[in-house]
Amino acid sequence: MSEEEQEMITKVEAPVYLKYNFTAGSAPTRFLAQIKKGVLAGQRCPKCLAVYIPTRGSCGRCGVPTVEEVELSDKATVQSFTIVSIPIPNNPIEPPFIIANVVPDGANVSFIHLMSECVNEEVHIGQRVQAVWKPEDEWGYSMDNIRYFKPLDEPDVPIELIGKLTVTGEEG
Amino acid sequence: MSQPEILNQAFELGYTYTRSTGPVVGRFLTGLKNRKLVGIKASDGRVIVPPMEYDPDTAEELSEFVDVGEQGEIVTFAWVKEPREAHPMNEPFAWAMIKLDGADVPMIHCVAAKSESDVTTGARVRAVWADETIGFMTDIRCFELV
Ligand SMILES: [Zn+2]
């Protein structure tokens, strides 16, 4: 068979794999130790009193260490979200699904997690949600202890109050 | 509160790219699949392997493919004492710029050798083909000293 008759190569697989050894550090280790017990633990800045989660051990605004640990609620408010419609390679979750930035009550910053048990088209900013946890015997040092957040039957939080609620869900 | 243990975990971030080769690199890789090495002629007459899509001087599109030999000569090299996981060989080897017979520009590939002292500038080498060729650079498993 001549070369022309053979099938031309038009594509090559060129994957890139980055292998890390991740060390949590002291502040994230405290956070992970608490989530292993089913507790969402933030840290409060001694200067501006902002509560951070997950903790990095310092306040980005004030540049001071955060030490005081604050137990937060697993109820939260949707700060932003996106509907993922395109499958991600090696991701077992089938689209469409919702990724949301949620602020737990008592914290001033959001973290990213999944939303489920919801009508995707009805998810909105300010919506009240609550964590759905895995069974306790499956808890590890992982954010995956929370399966996802589901909608709560509570009034929406006005945009200007998102990230400002107390741990009991009241206006701070 | 007592400080808990420091947590440590292996973590891998992967991007599963598939790249389009285009007709020129595609032709080169198709050649490898057929255990042949092919270069391209530049405007000044030099034969470049692997083939370039555009002339390095005039930026004109290049299209004159030229077959080159599977033997060549080492122009320069670096000996790798302790191969890493991503390297093409598990044993110590040389990265070498190899000017193939019929080419004017050297091409980088690995050279298998027992020891560093066996590898020299000007040494003759020959391509060792993989058992199964798929149209990828690794179809040449390595070069060996002739
Ligand atoms: Zn602060």
mmCIF file with all atom_site columns, all heavy atoms in Angstrom, chain A residues 45-50 52 59 61-64, ligand 1:
data_model
loop_
_atom_site.group_PDB
_atom_site.id
_atom_site.type_symbol
_atom_site.label_atom_id
_atom_site.label_alt_id
_atom_site.label_comp_id
_atom_site.label_asym_id
_atom_site.label_entity_id
_atom_site.label_seq_id
_atom_site.pdbx_PDB_ins_code
_atom_site.Cartn_x
_atom_site.Cartn_y
_atom_site.Cartn_z
_atom_site.occupancy
_atom_site.B_iso_or_equiv
_atom_site.pdbx_formal_charge
_atom_site.auth_seq_id
_atom_site.auth_comp_id
_atom_site.auth_asym_id
_atom_site.auth_atom_id
_atom_site.pdbx_PDB_model_num
ATOM   1  N  N   . CYS A 1 45 ? -10.907 37.529 61.727 1.00 0.00 ? 45 CYS A N   1
ATOM   2  C  CA  . CYS A 1 45 ? -9.804  38.489 61.755 1.00 0.00 ? 45 CYS A CA  1
ATOM   3  C  C   . CYS A 1 45 ? -9.920  39.340 63.016 1.00 0.00 ? 45 CYS A C   1
ATOM   4  O  O   . CYS A 1 45 ? -10.987 39.875 63.300 1.00 0.00 ? 45 CYS A O   1
ATOM   5  C  CB  . CYS A 1 45 ? -9.841  39.381 60.521 1.00 0.00 ? 45 CYS A CB  1
ATOM   6  S  SG  . CYS A 1 45 ? -8.671  40.759 60.612 1.00 0.00 ? 45 CYS A SG  1
ATOM   7  N  N   . PRO A 1 46 ? -8.809  39.463 63.798 1.00 0.00 ? 46 PRO A N   1
ATOM   8  C  CA  . PRO A 1 46 ? -8.877  40.238 65.039 1.00 0.00 ? 46 PRO A CA  1
ATOM   9  C  C   . PRO A 1 46 ? -9.056  41.739 64.783 1.00 0.00 ? 46 PRO A C   1
ATOM   10 O  O   . PRO A 1 46 ? -9.460  42.473 65.675 1.00 0.00 ? 46 PRO A O   1
ATOM   11 C  CB  . PRO A 1 46 ? -7.521  39.950 65.702 1.00 0.00 ? 46 PRO A CB  1
ATOM   12 C  CG  . PRO A 1 46 ? -6.616  39.576 64.575 1.00 0.00 ? 46 PRO A CG  1
ATOM   13 C  CD  . PRO A 1 46 ? -7.474  38.914 63.534 1.00 0.00 ? 46 PRO A CD  1
ATOM   14 N  N   . LYS A 1 47 ? -8.797  42.185 63.561 1.00 0.00 ? 47 LYS A N   1
ATOM   15 C  CA  . LYS A 1 47 ? -8.811  43.616 63.270 1.00 0.00 ? 47 LYS A CA  1
ATOM   16 C  C   . LYS A 1 47 ? -10.145 44.054 62.669 1.00 0.00 ? 47 LYS A C   1
ATOM   17 O  O   . LYS A 1 47 ? -10.833 44.909 63.210 1.00 0.00 ? 47 LYS A O   1
ATOM   18 C  CB  . LYS A 1 47 ? -7.664  43.935 62.311 1.00 0.00 ? 47 LYS A CB  1
ATOM   19 C  CG  . LYS A 1 47 ? -6.917  45.210 62.685 1.00 0.00 ? 47 LYS A CG  1
ATOM   20 C  CD  . LYS A 1 47 ? -5.653  45.329 61.880 1.00 0.00 ? 47 LYS A CD  1
ATOM   21 C  CE  . LYS A 1 47 ? -5.285  46.804 61.741 1.00 0.00 ? 47 LYS A CE  1
ATOM   22 N  NZ  . LYS A 1 47 ? -4.159  46.984 60.827 1.00 0.00 ? 47 LYS A NZ  1
ATOM   23 N  N   . CYS A 1 48 ? -10.506 43.436 61.510 1.00 0.00 ? 48 CYS A N   1
ATOM   24 C  CA  . CYS A 1 48 ? -11.720 43.882 60.816 1.00 0.00 ? 48 CYS A CA  1
ATOM   25 C  C   . CYS A 1 48 ? -12.912 42.977 61.127 1.00 0.00 ? 48 CYS A C   1
ATOM   26 O  O   . CYS A 1 48 ? -14.022 43.232 60.664 1.00 0.00 ? 48 CYS A O   1
ATOM   27 C  CB  . CYS A 1 48 ? -11.475 43.944 59.312 1.00 0.00 ? 48 CYS A CB  1
ATOM   28 S  SG  . CYS A 1 48 ? -11.289 42.332 58.532 1.00 0.00 ? 48 CYS A SG  1
ATOM   29 N  N   . LEU A 1 49 ? -12.676 41.894 61.884 1.00 0.00 ? 49 LEU A N   1
ATOM   30 C  CA  . LEU A 1 49 ? -13.708 40.957 62.341 1.00 0.00 ? 49 LEU A CA  1
ATOM   31 C  C   . LEU A 1 49 ? -14.341 40.126 61.230 1.00 0.00 ? 49 LEU A C   1
ATOM   32 O  O   . LEU A 1 49 ? -15.326 39.429 61.458 1.00 0.00 ? 49 LEU A O   1
ATOM   33 C  CB  . LEU A 1 49 ? -14.802 41.693 63.155 1.00 0.00 ? 49 LEU A CB  1
ATOM   34 C  CG  . LEU A 1 49 ? -14.301 42.541 64.332 1.00 0.00 ? 49 LEU A CG  1
ATOM   35 C  CD1 . LEU A 1 49 ? -15.475 43.188 65.076 1.00 0.00 ? 49 LEU A CD1 1
ATOM   36 C  CD2 . LEU A 1 49 ? -13.466 41.700 65.310 1.00 0.00 ? 49 LEU A CD2 1
ATOM   37 N  N   . ALA A 1 50 ? -13.771 40.176 60.017 1.00 0.00 ? 50 ALA A N   1
ATOM   38 C  CA  . ALA A 1 50 ? -14.285 39.339 58.928 1.00 0.00 ? 50 ALA A CA  1
ATOM   39 C  C   . ALA A 1 50 ? -14.028 37.869 59.255 1.00 0.00 ? 50 ALA A C   1
ATOM   40 O  O   . ALA A 1 50 ? -13.000 37.515 59.813 1.00 0.00 ? 50 ALA A O   1
ATOM   41 C  CB  . ALA A 1 50 ? -13.599 39.708 57.609 1.00 0.00 ? 50 ALA A CB  1
ATOM   42 N  N   . TYR A 1 52 ? -13.552 34.116 57.772 1.00 0.00 ? 52 TYR A N   1
ATOM   43 C  CA  . TYR A 1 52 ? -13.129 33.444 56.543 1.00 0.00 ? 52 TYR A CA  1
ATOM   44 C  C   . TYR A 1 52 ? -13.361 31.938 56.622 1.00 0.00 ? 52 TYR A C   1
ATOM   45 O  O   . TYR A 1 52 ? -13.154 31.335 57.658 1.00 0.00 ? 52 TYR A O   1
ATOM   46 C  CB  . TYR A 1 52 ? -11.639 33.693 56.287 1.00 0.00 ? 52 TYR A CB  1
ATOM   47 C  CG  . TYR A 1 52 ? -11.323 35.135 55.965 1.00 0.00 ? 52 TYR A CG  1
ATOM   48 C  CD1 . TYR A 1 52 ? -10.956 36.029 56.964 1.00 0.00 ? 52 TYR A CD1 1
ATOM   49 C  CD2 . TYR A 1 52 ? -11.426 35.595 54.663 1.00 0.00 ? 52 TYR A CD2 1
ATOM   50 C  CE1 . TYR A 1 52 ? -10.677 37.349 56.672 1.00 0.00 ? 52 TYR A CE1 1
ATOM   51 C  CE2 . TYR A 1 52 ? -11.143 36.922 54.357 1.00 0.00 ? 52 TYR A CE2 1
ATOM   52 C  CZ  . TYR A 1 52 ? -10.778 37.797 55.365 1.00 0.00 ? 52 TYR A CZ  1
ATOM   53 O  OH  . TYR A 1 52 ? -10.503 39.106 55.076 1.00 0.00 ? 52 TYR A OH  1
ATOM   54 N  N   . CYS A 1 59 ? -5.768  37.324 57.316 1.00 0.00 ? 59 CYS A N   1
ATOM   55 C  CA  . CYS A 1 59 ? -6.774  38.181 56.682 1.00 0.00 ? 59 CYS A CA  1
ATOM   56 C  C   . CYS A 1 59 ? -6.114  38.904 55.513 1.00 0.00 ? 59 CYS A C   1
ATOM   57 O  O   . CYS A 1 59 ? -5.128  39.618 55.700 1.00 0.00 ? 59 CYS A O   1
ATOM   58 C  CB  . CYS A 1 59 ? -7.325  39.189 57.684 1.00 0.00 ? 59 CYS A CB  1
ATOM   59 S  SG  . CYS A 1 59 ? -8.466  40.359 56.898 1.00 0.00 ? 59 CYS A SG  1
ATOM   60 N  N   . ARG A 1 61 ? -7.183  41.322 53.816 1.00 0.00 ? 61 ARG A N   1
ATOM   61 C  CA  . ARG A 1 61 ? -7.385  42.775 53.837 1.00 0.00 ? 61 ARG A CA  1
ATOM   62 C  C   . ARG A 1 61 ? -6.444  43.463 54.825 1.00 0.00 ? 61 ARG A C   1
ATOM   63 O  O   . ARG A 1 61 ? -5.897  44.517 54.550 1.00 0.00 ? 61 ARG A O   1
ATOM   64 C  CB  . ARG A 1 61 ? -8.830  43.088 54.239 1.00 0.00 ? 61 ARG A CB  1
ATOM   65 C  CG  . ARG A 1 61 ? -9.727  43.370 53.066 1.00 0.00 ? 61 ARG A CG  1
ATOM   66 C  CD  . ARG A 1 61 ? -11.071 43.883 53.521 1.00 0.00 ? 61 ARG A CD  1
ATOM   67 N  NE  . ARG A 1 61 ? -11.736 42.904 54.394 1.00 0.00 ? 61 ARG A NE  1
ATOM   68 C  CZ  . ARG A 1 61 ? -13.055 42.833 54.541 1.00 0.00 ? 61 ARG A CZ  1
ATOM   69 N  NH1 . ARG A 1 61 ? -13.834 43.667 53.911 1.00 0.00 ? 61 ARG A NH1 1
ATOM   70 N  NH2 . ARG A 1 61 ? -13.601 41.938 55.344 1.00 0.00 ? 61 ARG A NH2 1
ATOM   71 N  N   . CYS A 1 62 ? -6.281  42.829 55.997 1.00 0.00 ? 62 CYS A N   1
ATOM   72 C  CA  . CYS A 1 62 ? -5.514  43.480 57.066 1.00 0.00 ? 62 CYS A CA  1
ATOM   73 C  C   . CYS A 1 62 ? -4.077  42.958 57.152 1.00 0.00 ? 62 CYS A C   1
ATOM   74 O  O   . CYS A 1 62 ? -3.238  43.576 57.805 1.00 0.00 ? 62 CYS A O   1
ATOM   75 C  CB  . CYS A 1 62 ? -6.197  43.270 58.416 1.00 0.00 ? 62 CYS A CB  1
ATOM   76 S  SG  . CYS A 1 62 ? -7.929  43.772 58.413 1.00 0.00 ? 62 CYS A SG  1
ATOM   77 N  N   . GLY A 1 63 ? -3.816  41.800 56.536 1.00 0.00 ? 63 GLY A N   1
ATOM   78 C  CA  . GLY A 1 63 ? -2.457  41.247 56.593 1.00 0.00 ? 63 GLY A CA  1
ATOM   79 C  C   . GLY A 1 63 ? -2.067  40.781 57.972 1.00 0.00 ? 63 GLY A C   1
ATOM   80 O  O   . GLY A 1 63 ? -0.886  40.832 58.330 1.00 0.00 ? 63 GLY A O   1
ATOM   81 N  N   . VAL A 1 64 ? -3.026  40.352 58.780 1.00 0.00 ? 64 VAL A N   1
ATOM   82 C  CA  . VAL A 1 64 ? -2.709  39.849 60.129 1.00 0.00 ? 64 VAL A CA  1
ATOM   83 C  C   . VAL A 1 64 ? -3.171  38.400 60.241 1.00 0.00 ? 64 VAL A C   1
ATOM   84 O  O   . VAL A 1 64 ? -4.091  37.981 59.527 1.00 0.00 ? 64 VAL A O   1
ATOM   85 C  CB  . VAL A 1 64 ? -3.393  40.702 61.232 1.00 0.00 ? 64 VAL A CB  1
ATOM   86 C  CG1 . VAL A 1 64 ? -2.861  42.122 61.210 1.00 0.00 ? 64 VAL A CG1 1
ATOM   87 C  CG2 . VAL A 1 64 ? -4.910  40.678 61.075 1.00 0.00 ? 64 VAL A CG2 1
HETATM 88 ZN ZN  . ZN  C 2 .  ? -9.072  41.747 58.652 1.00 0.00 ? 1  ZN  C ZN  1
#
